[in-house]
Amino acid sequence: MERARERLKALGMEAYSFHAPFADDIDITSFDPAQRERALRELVSAAEAAARLDVRYFVIHPGPERAGMPDEERLARMRNAAGVLERAAARCRELGVGFVLENQLPHLFFGHARDLLWLMGTLERMDVGICLDTGHARLSGDLHTVVHKLSGHLWMVHASDTRGQFDDHLPPGRGSIPWGELVDQLSDVGFRGGLILEIAATDDPEATLQWAREGRLFLRETFRRKDRIRQGRVTA
């Protein structure tokens, strides 16, 4: 991590955010206290690595990659997750790293805005933010309202596009997401956080970078056009 930190510094780059590991065996919802402790250690270890890179935000999927269970079990697991996240957030505070929860795919834990709002209401900590994953929100059907629902907690956005069936991680503008509407929502709530392009890699690094450039230019032009419309210089 120290070598990575020095390399980033030499390149004049900033590690803006760091994604926590997620897998079925890193289960913060488990009914087994020992397994929850192991999961917490994994999260804390990753957060400490993130701090070595001087990142702003530590982003976590708040639950396992598991779907389908009775409502009673689901609620109990959500409460277990809240207990672990409370402690992980406290460690991030000590490390000086922002603690951010990401909306998941709709069939997983915390895959809907209502789930994240429940979690934010359950946590005692106030220094916890939310990362909006645009592809996940599109697939969950929350995209048209999610920004306003989460606006008080929205710290950053993972920007990618989808054709509507899978989490395709396409560059913005290549799928079915109505980016103009989303930009309007972000502007309405005064969002000033980072937009992180989260696009799929290809076998050709140059092609991947070209996708990233394309997505960045698309978002920049979309924001600029919306600004011109609001200022009355162009029509919608």
Side-chain angles (χ1 to χ4, degrees):
M1 297 309 297
E2 290 295 337
R3 289 197 299 271
R5 180 177 183 272
E6 292 304 315
R7 182 58 175 157
L8 285 168
K9 186 185 297 184
L11 292 169
M13 297 175 66
E14 175 190 2
Y16 188 86
S17 67
F18 189 110
H19 210 306
F22 54 93
D24 280 340
D25 59 342
I26 306 176
D27 188 357
I28 63 175
T29 75
S30 174
F31 291 118
D32 179 359
Q35 186 173 10
R36 292 202 303 274
E37 287 297 319
R38 288 193 297 272
L40 176 63
R41 287 196 295 271
E42 290 282 357
L43 297 182
V44 168
S45 177
E48 290 169 349
R52 286 177 175 266
L53 293 181
D54 298 321
V55 304
R56 296 191 194 187
Y57 298 123
F58 182 65
V59 183
I60 177 172
H61 283 182
E65 303 296 288
R66 178 182 293 132
M69 64 189 64
D71 288 344
E72 184 176 345
E73 178 184 348
R74 180 179 175 83
L75 180 58
R77 286 182 175 274
M78 289 169 71
R79 290 185 177 126
N80 288 344
V84 175
L85 293 172
E86 198 88 59
R87 296 165 65 192
R91 180 57 179 145
C92 282
R93 176 64 179 268
E94 294 171 352
L95 294 167
V97 176
F99 189 77
V100 185
L101 307 175
E102 179 181 338
N103 60 308
Q104 299 206 94
L105 286 166
H107 64 288
L108 302 177
F109 269 82
F110 304 110
H112 293 272
R114 62 179 180 271
D115 298 328
L116 284 175
L117 288 171
W118 179 92
L119 181 57
M120 298 300 287
T122 301
L123 294 175
E124 294 183 7
R125 306 193 65 87
M126 302 297 292
D127 53 347
V128 176
I130 288 177
C131 170
L132 167 62
D133 185 299
T134 59
H136 295 176
R138 175 65 165 173
L139 293 172
S140 71
D142 282 339
L143 192 63
H144 295 295
T145 59
V146 68
V147 171
H148 292 285
K149 287 182 177 179
L150 303 177
S151 60
H153 309 285
L154 193 59
W155 290 4
M156 59 187 294
V157 173
H158 279 174
S160 68
D161 218 329
T162 170
R163 296 184 181 93
Q165 287 187 295
F166 304 102
D167 194 18
D168 300 305
H169 288 280
L170 299 171
R174 288 245 180 171
S176 61
I177 288 179
W179 290 97
E181 294 178 19
L182 183 59
V183 166
D184 279 340
Q185 292 182 53
L186 292 171
S187 298
D188 287 345
V189 301
F191 176 73
R192 294 293 182 271
L195 278 82
I196 310 301
L197 286 171
E198 194 177 56
I199 58 176
T202 68
D203 293 334
D204 179 1
E206 182 55 39
T208 302
L209 288 173
Q210 180 55 41
W211 267 32
R213 285 190 287 267
E214 175 187 320
R216 176 179 178 273
L217 290 172
F218 176 86
L219 287 176
R220 186 175 67 178
E221 180 54 34
T222 302
F223 272 94
R224 286 180 173 176
R225 177 171 177 78
K226 288 296 180 178
D227 282 341
R228 293 194 296 269
I229 291 172
R230 280 190 290 271
Q231 294 167 12
R233 292 188 292 180
V234 297
T235 57

